[in-house]
Amino acid sequence: MSLFQNATYLASAHHLHDLPPPGEPEVAFAGRSNAGKSSAINALANRTRLAFVSKTPGRTQQINFFQLTGGGLLVDLPGYGYAKVPEALRNHWEDTLSRFLQTRPSLCGLVLVMDARHPLTERDELMLGWFRPTGRPVHVLLTKADKLNRREQALTLEKVRARLAALGGLATVQLFSSPDRSGLEEAEEVITGWLVAAGARNKEAPSQRGKLGAKRLKRD
Ligand code: GDP
């Protein structure tokens, strides 16, 4: 069974003080609006319901939490970079996202979704900058890879890899296409690796959250 299959909606938060208490290991998905984040989550979940939930009006601009059946949580962060968002709301989300990424203790990795045709926007790099001090890993999904030919794909991958290396931090990158369902296995492997490692770390240093995370996590 795939990692996100049968994931269930757990909670939403507009403010940091509304977040569910940190517990099991969490993997966050972030990206520019329209980059293909919902489609990627759906492809990984192998069904359409999760995206339906994240696209429900009112929940789009929320931090949405989904419980994974094997243990761990998927955190769908609000898309950024949408020009029509009023400045006050944009500032709210910049502040909320930066603090979430820097301080959420249960976060074990960040999946950063980028359109392969427009990777590493200024805001993508801001997200990387906020998360880097945590020392936790980032995996970049270059979505819409089906819109590029093989040569363009290879060039983009090389360019993004080089830029990520120059930025420092622990970042990996891959090509992804939701309609072609390509790149699913690679993404799943990375995310499962993070969740399993975080579960094992929690087991070694038991804490209130650790015990729960370690007990529930298993590889499918
Ligand atoms: P989000 O705003 O980041 O959640 O983006 P969505 O998942 O809603 O996708 C935005 C648009 O891009 C939609 O029209 C999708 O059908 C399309 N899209 C998403 N991923 C892909 C992909 O891998 N390939 C192609 N060709 N289109 C995609």
Side-chain angles (χ1 to χ4, degrees):
M1 195 172 79
S2 77
L3 180 66
F4 295 164
Q5 209 152 9
N6 303 321
T8 48
Y9 169 74
L10 190 70
S12 293
H14 186 77
H15 295 282
L16 291 179
H17 55 78
D18 295 329
L19 293 176
E24 298 175 49
E26 294 167 347
V27 172
F29 275 68
R32 194 174 194 277
S33 290
N34 218 40
K37 177 164 58 72
S38 307
S39 305
I41 292 173
N42 275 338
L44 286 160
N46 202 18
R47 64 175 194 167
T48 52
R49 187 140 170 253
L50 282 189
F52 167 75
V53 171
S54 10
K55 291 282 176 193
T56 304
R59 280 207 191 134
T60 334
Q61 284 295 313
Q62 305 247 35
I63 299 177
N64 294 308
F65 290 79
F66 298 91
Q67 175 74 56
L68 308 179
T69 43
L73 301 176
L74 184 167
V75 185
D76 188 9
L77 298 173
Y80 47 84
Y82 186 58
K84 287 186 190 145
V85 173
E87 197 181 335
L89 190 60
R90 192 161 50 224
N91 291 341
H92 161 76
W93 280 116
E94 281 209 354
D95 184 52
T96 304
L97 284 179
S98 66
R99 285 198 286 147
F100 180 82
L101 291 176
Q102 288 172 60
T103 62
R104 182 76 173 167
S106 36
L107 211 51
C108 67
L110 169 68
V111 177
L112 201 49
V113 178
M114 301 177 195
D115 185 326
R117 298 165 301 175
H118 318 285
L120 288 166
T121 63
E122 202 176 314
R123 269 161 214 273
D124 292 332
E125 294 208 3
L126 263 182
M127 303 288 286
L128 288 166
W130 289 331
F131 198 56
R132 197 180 308 126
T134 68
R136 292 171 197 154
V138 175
H139 190 58
V140 173
L141 285 189
L142 295 172
T143 56
K144 312 194 189 183
D146 52 285
K147 303 254 191 195
L148 302 178
N149 64 34
R150 292 222 169 233
R151 190 172 165 275
E152 292 167 331
Q153 288 181 355
L155 279 174
T156 303
L157 199 54
E158 196 182 314
K159 206 174 69 184
V160 172
R161 199 171 272 143
R163 178 68 187 148
L164 290 172
L167 289 170
L170 210 57
T172 47
V173 57
Q174 67 159 100
L175 295 161
F176 193 91
S177 166
S178 298
D180 291 357
R181 305 185 61 75
S182 64
L184 283 175
E185 277 181 20
E186 189 178 349
E188 271 196 17
E189 203 169 300
V190 172
I191 296 164
T192 306
W194 290 348
L195 290 168
V196 169
R201 275 198 300 276
N202 289 349
K203 203 175 180 181
E204 278 163 22
S207 65
Q208 195 67 355
R209 70 186 173 92
K211 278 182 222 152
L212 187 63
K215 203 162 56 191
R216 300 205 59 225
L217 270 172
K218 62 174 181 359
R219 254 181 215 274
D220 287 320

PDB file of all heavy atoms in Angstrom, residues 106-124:
ATOM      1  N   SER A 106       7.998  18.519  15.637  1.00  0.00           N
ATOM      2  CA  SER A 106       7.726  17.191  15.067  1.00  0.00           C
ATOM      3  C   SER A 106       7.990  17.102  13.559  1.00  0.00           C
ATOM      4  O   SER A 106       7.872  16.027  12.976  1.00  0.00           O
ATOM      5  CB  SER A 106       6.267  16.807  15.362  1.00  0.00           C
ATOM      6  OG  SER A 106       5.441  17.943  15.304  1.00  0.00           O
ATOM      7  N   LEU A 107       8.369  18.224  12.965  1.00  0.00           N
ATOM      8  CA  LEU A 107       8.624  18.232  11.517  1.00  0.00           C
ATOM      9  C   LEU A 107       9.928  17.485  11.212  1.00  0.00           C
ATOM     10  O   LEU A 107      10.989  17.860  11.710  1.00  0.00           O
ATOM     11  CB  LEU A 107       8.742  19.695  11.072  1.00  0.00           C
ATOM     12  CG  LEU A 107       8.313  20.075   9.664  1.00  0.00           C
ATOM     13  CD1 LEU A 107       6.911  19.563   9.358  1.00  0.00           C
ATOM     14  CD2 LEU A 107       8.351  21.594   9.522  1.00  0.00           C
ATOM     15  N   CYS A 108       9.845  16.423  10.398  1.00  0.00           N
ATOM     16  CA  CYS A 108      11.074  15.669  10.125  1.00  0.00           C
ATOM     17  C   CYS A 108      11.585  15.903   8.709  1.00  0.00           C
ATOM     18  O   CYS A 108      12.648  15.415   8.337  1.00  0.00           O
ATOM     19  CB  CYS A 108      10.886  14.184  10.419  1.00  0.00           C
ATOM     20  SG  CYS A 108       9.733  13.338   9.339  1.00  0.00           S
ATOM     21  N   GLY A 109      10.846  16.647   7.899  1.00  0.00           N
ATOM     22  CA  GLY A 109      11.310  16.946   6.545  1.00  0.00           C
ATOM     23  C   GLY A 109      10.313  17.819   5.810  1.00  0.00           C
ATOM     24  O   GLY A 109       9.147  17.906   6.193  1.00  0.00           O
ATOM     25  N   LEU A 110      10.820  18.473   4.769  1.00  0.00           N
ATOM     26  CA  LEU A 110       9.987  19.380   3.969  1.00  0.00           C
ATOM     27  C   LEU A 110      10.053  18.961   2.502  1.00  0.00           C
ATOM     28  O   LEU A 110      11.147  18.824   1.943  1.00  0.00           O
ATOM     29  CB  LEU A 110      10.507  20.818   4.117  1.00  0.00           C
ATOM     30  CG  LEU A 110       9.937  21.875   3.177  1.00  0.00           C
ATOM     31  CD1 LEU A 110       8.460  22.138   3.485  1.00  0.00           C
ATOM     32  CD2 LEU A 110      10.731  23.185   3.303  1.00  0.00           C
ATOM     33  N   VAL A 111       8.884  18.750   1.903  1.00  0.00           N
ATOM     34  CA  VAL A 111       8.825  18.515   0.464  1.00  0.00           C
ATOM     35  C   VAL A 111       8.457  19.850  -0.178  1.00  0.00           C
ATOM     36  O   VAL A 111       7.409  20.423   0.129  1.00  0.00           O
ATOM     37  CB  VAL A 111       7.770  17.438   0.109  1.00  0.00           C
ATOM     38  CG1 VAL A 111       7.669  17.272  -1.408  1.00  0.00           C
ATOM     39  CG2 VAL A 111       8.115  16.112   0.766  1.00  0.00           C
ATOM     40  N   LEU A 112       9.342  20.364  -1.016  1.00  0.00           N
ATOM     41  CA  LEU A 112       9.108  21.655  -1.655  1.00  0.00           C
ATOM     42  C   LEU A 112       8.748  21.392  -3.119  1.00  0.00           C
ATOM     43  O   LEU A 112       9.557  20.849  -3.867  1.00  0.00           O
ATOM     44  CB  LEU A 112      10.369  22.514  -1.518  1.00  0.00           C
ATOM     45  CG  LEU A 112      10.217  24.012  -1.656  1.00  0.00           C
ATOM     46  CD1 LEU A 112       9.084  24.567  -0.813  1.00  0.00           C
ATOM     47  CD2 LEU A 112      11.523  24.710  -1.268  1.00  0.00           C
ATOM     48  N   VAL A 113       7.510  21.761  -3.457  1.00  0.00           N
ATOM     49  CA  VAL A 113       6.991  21.475  -4.791  1.00  0.00           C
ATOM     50  C   VAL A 113       7.225  22.684  -5.693  1.00  0.00           C
ATOM     51  O   VAL A 113       6.841  23.801  -5.346  1.00  0.00           O
ATOM     52  CB  VAL A 113       5.481  21.150  -4.709  1.00  0.00           C
ATOM     53  CG1 VAL A 113       4.907  20.905  -6.099  1.00  0.00           C
ATOM     54  CG2 VAL A 113       5.242  19.948  -3.809  1.00  0.00           C
ATOM     55  N   MET A 114       7.875  22.458  -6.835  1.00  0.00           N
ATOM     56  CA  MET A 114       8.141  23.558  -7.770  1.00  0.00           C
ATOM     57  C   MET A 114       7.756  23.113  -9.180  1.00  0.00           C
ATOM     58  O   MET A 114       7.975  21.958  -9.543  1.00  0.00           O
ATOM     59  CB  MET A 114       9.642  23.896  -7.794  1.00  0.00           C
ATOM     60  CG  MET A 114      10.196  24.299  -6.460  1.00  0.00           C
ATOM     61  SD  MET A 114      11.979  24.582  -6.603  1.00  0.00           S
ATOM     62  CE  MET A 114      12.422  24.571  -4.860  1.00  0.00           C
ATOM     63  N   ASP A 115       7.243  24.042  -9.939  1.00  0.00           N
ATOM     64  CA  ASP A 115       6.982  23.795 -11.355  1.00  0.00           C
ATOM     65  C   ASP A 115       8.355  23.669 -12.032  1.00  0.00           C
ATOM     66  O   ASP A 115       9.171  24.597 -11.948  1.00  0.00           O
ATOM     67  CB  ASP A 115       6.184  24.991 -11.915  1.00  0.00           C
ATOM     68  CG  ASP A 115       5.739  24.798 -13.355  1.00  0.00           C
ATOM     69  OD1 ASP A 115       6.492  24.167 -14.127  1.00  0.00           O
ATOM     70  OD2 ASP A 115       4.665  25.291 -13.706  1.00  0.00           O
ATOM     71  N   ALA A 116       8.591  22.550 -12.686  1.00  0.00           N
ATOM     72  CA  ALA A 116       9.915  22.302 -13.291  1.00  0.00           C
ATOM     73  C   ALA A 116      10.297  23.387 -14.296  1.00  0.00           C
ATOM     74  O   ALA A 116      11.474  23.578 -14.591  1.00  0.00           O
ATOM     75  CB  ALA A 116       9.928  20.934 -13.972  1.00  0.00           C
ATOM     76  N   ARG A 117       9.297  24.117 -14.804  1.00  0.00           N
ATOM     77  CA  ARG A 117       9.589  25.177 -15.785  1.00  0.00           C
ATOM     78  C   ARG A 117       9.986  26.483 -15.114  1.00  0.00           C
ATOM     79  O   ARG A 117      10.542  27.366 -15.734  1.00  0.00           O
ATOM     80  CB  ARG A 117       8.372  25.398 -16.695  1.00  0.00           C
ATOM     81  CG  ARG A 117       8.014  24.157 -17.504  1.00  0.00           C
ATOM     82  CD  ARG A 117       6.629  24.282 -18.090  1.00  0.00           C
ATOM     83  NE  ARG A 117       5.613  24.468 -17.054  1.00  0.00           N
ATOM     84  CZ  ARG A 117       4.333  24.703 -17.289  1.00  0.00           C
ATOM     85  NH1 ARG A 117       3.903  24.804 -18.524  1.00  0.00           N
ATOM     86  NH2 ARG A 117       3.482  24.845 -16.287  1.00  0.00           N
ATOM     87  N   HIS A 118       9.656  26.608 -13.809  1.00  0.00           N
ATOM     88  CA  HIS A 118       9.991  27.843 -13.073  1.00  0.00           C
ATOM     89  C   HIS A 118      10.475  27.483 -11.671  1.00  0.00           C
ATOM     90  O   HIS A 118       9.841  27.839 -10.684  1.00  0.00           O
ATOM     91  CB  HIS A 118       8.750  28.744 -12.938  1.00  0.00           C
ATOM     92  CG  HIS A 118       7.930  28.838 -14.175  1.00  0.00           C
ATOM     93  ND1 HIS A 118       8.324  29.584 -15.263  1.00  0.00           N
ATOM     94  CD2 HIS A 118       6.744  28.269 -14.520  1.00  0.00           C
ATOM     95  CE1 HIS A 118       7.400  29.478 -16.213  1.00  0.00           C
ATOM     96  NE2 HIS A 118       6.440  28.679 -15.792  1.00  0.00           N
ATOM     97  N   PRO A 119      11.582  26.779 -11.578  1.00  0.00           N
ATOM     98  CA  PRO A 119      12.022  26.329 -10.255  1.00  0.00           C
ATOM     99  C   PRO A 119      12.736  27.432  -9.469  1.00  0.00           C
ATOM    100  O   PRO A 119      13.202  28.421 -10.060  1.00  0.00           O
ATOM    101  CB  PRO A 119      12.994  25.194 -10.576  1.00  0.00           C
ATOM    102  CG  PRO A 119      13.545  25.535 -11.918  1.00  0.00           C
ATOM    103  CD  PRO A 119      12.490  26.327 -12.653  1.00  0.00           C
ATOM    104  N   LEU A 120      12.800  27.249  -8.165  1.00  0.00           N
ATOM    105  CA  LEU A 120      13.576  28.122  -7.276  1.00  0.00           C
ATOM    106  C   LEU A 120      13.245  29.607  -7.435  1.00  0.00           C
ATOM    107  O   LEU A 120      14.124  30.427  -7.740  1.00  0.00           O
ATOM    108  CB  LEU A 120      15.076  27.866  -7.482  1.00  0.00           C
ATOM    109  CG  LEU A 120      15.561  26.528  -6.917  1.00  0.00           C
ATOM    110  CD1 LEU A 120      16.939  26.191  -7.445  1.00  0.00           C
ATOM    111  CD2 LEU A 120      15.575  26.546  -5.395  1.00  0.00           C
ATOM    112  N   THR A 121      11.984  29.926  -7.241  1.00  0.00           N
ATOM    113  CA  THR A 121      11.587  31.330  -7.211  1.00  0.00           C
ATOM    114  C   THR A 121      12.159  31.947  -5.935  1.00  0.00           C
ATOM    115  O   THR A 121      12.648  31.233  -5.043  1.00  0.00           O
ATOM    116  CB  THR A 121      10.056  31.478  -7.180  1.00  0.00           C
ATOM    117  OG1 THR A 121       9.586  30.888  -5.962  1.00  0.00           O
ATOM    118  CG2 THR A 121       9.390  30.803  -8.369  1.00  0.00           C
ATOM    119  N   GLU A 122      12.045  33.258  -5.875  1.00  0.00           N
ATOM    120  CA  GLU A 122      12.551  33.969  -4.693  1.00  0.00           C
ATOM    121  C   GLU A 122      11.932  33.402  -3.407  1.00  0.00           C
ATOM    122  O   GLU A 122      12.592  33.197  -2.400  1.00  0.00           O
ATOM    123  CB  GLU A 122      12.166  35.433  -4.853  1.00  0.00           C
ATOM    124  CG  GLU A 122      12.998  36.397  -4.049  1.00  0.00           C
ATOM    125  CD  GLU A 122      12.592  37.828  -4.366  1.00  0.00           C
ATOM    126  OE1 GLU A 122      12.452  38.167  -5.559  1.00  0.00           O
ATOM    127  OE2 GLU A 122      12.408  38.579  -3.410  1.00  0.00           O
ATOM    128  N   ARG A 123      10.616  33.144  -3.475  1.00  0.00           N
ATOM    129  CA  ARG A 123       9.938  32.631  -2.290  1.00  0.00           C
ATOM    130  C   ARG A 123      10.318  31.183  -1.971  1.00  0.00           C
ATOM    131  O   ARG A 123      10.362  30.791  -0.809  1.00  0.00           O
ATOM    132  CB  ARG A 123       8.422  32.757  -2.437  1.00  0.00           C
ATOM    133  CG  ARG A 123       7.926  34.043  -1.888  1.00  0.00           C
ATOM    134  CD  ARG A 123       6.561  34.405  -2.411  1.00  0.00           C
ATOM    135  NE  ARG A 123       6.468  35.846  -2.542  1.00  0.00           N
ATOM    136  CZ  ARG A 123       6.091  36.660  -1.568  1.00  0.00           C
ATOM    137  NH1 ARG A 123       5.767  36.167  -0.395  1.00  0.00           N
ATOM    138  NH2 ARG A 123       6.040  37.962  -1.743  1.00  0.00           N
ATOM    139  N   ASP A 124      10.581  30.391  -3.005  1.00  0.00           N
ATOM    140  CA  ASP A 124      11.071  29.023  -2.754  1.00  0.00           C
ATOM    141  C   ASP A 124      12.378  29.106  -1.958  1.00  0.00           C
ATOM    142  O   ASP A 124      12.593  28.353  -1.004  1.00  0.00           O
ATOM    143  CB  ASP A 124      11.343  28.287  -4.066  1.00  0.00           C
ATOM    144  CG  ASP A 124      10.076  27.985  -4.866  1.00  0.00           C
ATOM    145  OD1 ASP A 124       9.011  27.836  -4.251  1.00  0.00           O
ATOM    146  OD2 ASP A 124      10.172  27.905  -6.107  1.00  0.00           O
TER     147      ASP A 124
END
